[in-house]
Amino acid sequence: MSNREAKTYTEQTTWMLAVRDARDKTAFAALFDHYAPRIKGLLMRKGCGHGQADEIVQDVMLTIWRKAAMFDPERAQVSAWIYQIARNRHIDVIRKENRPIPEELGEAPDAEPDATQILGMEQESLHLREALSRLKPAQREMIEAAYLGEMSHRELSEKTGLPLGTIKSRIRLGLEKLRHELKGIRQE
Amino acid sequence: MTPITHHIPDPLLAAYAAGSLPRPFALVIAAHVSMCEDCRASLSAHEHIGGAVLEDMTTAPVEADVKAALMAMLDMAEPIEEPPVAKRSGVYPGPVMEALKGRAPKWKKLGMGVKQCILDAGEAGSVRLLHIPPGQAVPDHTHGGLELTLVLQGSFSDETGHFGVGDVEVADQELEHTPVADEGAACICLAATDAPLKFRAFVPRLLQPIFRI
């Protein structure tokens, strides 16, 4: 990967990779400054009080540090990865239940990162965000309500479709690549 | 193994991604995603919308000592490298093994060779494993609302089609169906329903000639 390509990663991806690969605390502090207030905003919207939200934020950020090796930018954007960690932690704390989660595909491969795939993921995520920003305010609010867990699956069934096709094919590509690499690791 | 043809519909994946799906259904989704690359990619796509919502979230300031305490913890924090979910065992994917607490299912006879093992039952619904001998019908049951059935072994067919390993049947109260296990291996399914009370009628009705084969 050339420096020119590396520079085009988003700040968030760059921080997260520095945390994953170099256990970089300055990068982690930057991730905290960016995401902690957003995670807290999300938790308070879900009904948490200040104290409880702060506690969950701390747990989520600590999990990000501890699970960093599992972060794979070829399959997921930092924000999507953190979103699911925050959701799982919120369910653990609020519902006092163990959330069923899918099997992991295996440990993250340490193969050379594929900059093209990572940049492709970032581009698709950007397209998705742009598509969301073009929605009418009422639709936009509905998306927020849906992904903050304020709508039942029945209510979601009546929701209009989202342009998921392109990001899905990007994610598939990342999955296929990972599976291919895991196969290589297992054969060694 | 034949490819999976019956997948999880998007509204259910979105509800799972958002954490709003009751636990019995969440278990079926997690089990199916463990078996299906298509739905793994779709679920991740939904989580990317969640990520976009998180990026644009109205921020709420976190107390300063939270960050300081966290930074002080980092050196002591053990990395999490092992996937925390139980491993797949036989036909049971990781999330099902997790619900079984790592042990083989304890089957309870329902009659006519049909067995069940309840994994979770509560206000939000129930989820169970069903073991149906070849050629046998799935016991007649009423479900007031949503019912998800994931095939783990063998296959079954009903008025709507054929369901093999990894396939999910999504049924609502409007669907009158009589699933029958196909010939071959016994059919093992993971079935979730949001009508826990109606399922009580299940046992007494077994005494009636309800197996419409």
Side-chain angles (χ1 to χ4, degrees):
Chain A
M1 176 178 39
S2 74
N3 284 334
R4 190 183 56 80
E5 279 172 325
K7 279 199 188 97
T8 57
Y9 288 170
T10 62
E11 279 180 311
Q12 289 86 336
T13 305
T14 311
W15 293 330
M16 194 58 225
L17 287 175
V19 168
R20 186 189 77 175
D21 300 333
R23 306 307 273 158
D24 183 330
K25 287 182 188 163
T26 312
F28 182 76
L31 270 179
F32 184 96
D33 292 339
H34 182 79
Y35 284 109
R38 286 173 169 79
I39 301 168
K40 184 168 179 180
L42 178 140
L43 291 166
M44 293 191 63
R45 170 89 182 255
K46 278 170 166 289
C48 292
H50 278 284
Q52 189 176 43
D54 278 352
E55 269 176 44
I56 299 176
V57 166
Q58 194 170 25
D59 286 346
V60 170
M61 292 305 302
L62 189 62
T63 304
I64 291 165
W65 174 260
R66 294 178 64 201
K67 277 187 85 167
M70 313 286 291
F71 172 69
D72 182 354
E74 296 179 28
R75 290 199 291 140
Q77 282 287 282
V78 181
S79 58
W81 193 65
I82 294 181
Y83 169 79
Q84 51 102 6
I85 292 174
R87 168 204 68 197
N88 290 350
R89 188 66 199 151
H90 177 260
I91 292 175
D92 287 349
V93 172
I94 302 302
R95 292 203 221 148
K96 307 257 188 300
E97 66 178 33
N98 226 340
R99 175 187 167 77
I101 48 174
E103 277 169 43
E104 303 266 4
L105 288 178
E107 59 190 275
D110 55 359
E112 280 293 297
D114 178 347
T116 320
Q117 169 65 10
I118 298 174
L119 291 170
M121 273 303 297
E122 294 199 327
Q123 201 172 30
E124 290 307 331
S125 295
L126 192 68
H127 286 163
L128 189 65
R129 279 186 78 188
E130 282 166 359
L132 290 175
S133 68
R134 281 195 300 268
L135 293 175
K136 293 191 180 96
Q139 283 176 308
R140 168 82 211 185
E141 277 163 31
M142 192 167 66
I143 294 295
E144 272 191 20
Y147 289 90
L148 290 170
E150 292 163 4
M151 284 165 79
S152 71
H153 61 85
R154 259 178 247 291
E155 291 167 319
L156 279 164
S157 308
E158 287 134 33
K159 171 174 79 69
T160 51
L162 277 166
L164 284 180
T166 49
I167 190 153
K168 225 162 91 173
S169 35
R170 254 304 157 193
I171 294 163
R172 267 210 78 97
L173 215 64
L175 281 170
E176 274 157 25
K177 213 170 155 286
L178 175 74
R179 198 172 38 197
H180 185 71
E181 282 163 7
L182 286 171
K183 218 162 128 191
I185 291 166
R186 284 179 195 134
Q187 279 167 353
E188 270 165 24
Chain B
M1 200 170 94
T2 50
I4 295 171
T5 50
H6 300 274
H7 297 275
I8 307 278
D10 267 320
L12 284 168
L13 281 175
Y16 177 89
S20 58
L21 204 58
R23 192 166 188 279
F25 298 121
L27 180 58
V28 179
I29 309 295
H32 177 82
V33 168
S34 301
M35 303 165 82
C36 176
E37 295 291 283
D38 267 331
C39 288
R40 191 183 284 275
S42 299
L43 173 60
S44 180
H46 285 289
E47 286 166 349
H48 278 78
I49 307 180
V53 169
L54 176 66
E55 281 296 347
D56 294 336
M57 203 67 219
T58 310
T59 59
V62 176
E63 291 294 327
D65 57 352
V66 171
K67 186 179 175 185
L70 183 65
M71 295 307 289
M73 273 184 237
L74 297 185
D75 282 329
M76 302 288 289
E78 300 268 338
I80 306 173
E81 276 161 6
E82 283 298 302
V85 181
K87 288 240 157 60
R88 180 186 187 86
S89 174
V91 301
Y92 305 109
V96 175
M97 284 314 291
E98 187 87 8
L100 285 165
K101 300 188 175 65
R103 294 188 290 264
K106 280 186 187 156
W107 296 106
K108 295 247 161 59
K109 286 179 184 161
L110 284 175
M112 306 290 280
V114 179
K115 297 183 284 186
Q116 73 165 345
C117 170
I118 294 175
L119 297 176
D120 188 39
E123 282 298 301
S126 61
V127 58
R128 71 198 65 218
L129 289 165
L130 285 170
H131 185 286
I132 304 132
Q136 185 68 267
V138 175
D140 194 18
H141 53 278
T142 46
H143 42 89
L146 182 68
E147 184 189 51
L148 297 183
T149 310
L150 168 68
V151 179
L152 301 177
Q153 177 187 294
S155 61
F156 72 80
S157 302
D158 70 8
E159 291 82 345
T160 69
H162 174 77
F163 298 83
V165 172
D167 284 334
V168 185
E169 181 172 49
V170 182
D172 58 22
Q173 62 268 49
E174 271 113 60
L175 180 69
E176 279 286 329
H177 64 140
T178 310
V180 177
D182 295 327
E183 292 304 325
C187 180
I188 299 179
C189 298
L190 178 69
T193 167
D194 59 4
L197 294 176
K198 293 206 173 169
F199 232 97
R200 276 190 191 161
F202 186 89
V203 178
R205 289 191 66 179
L206 283 172
L207 301 171
Q208 302 163 15
I210 54 151
F211 297 105
R212 290 169 279 167
I213 302 168

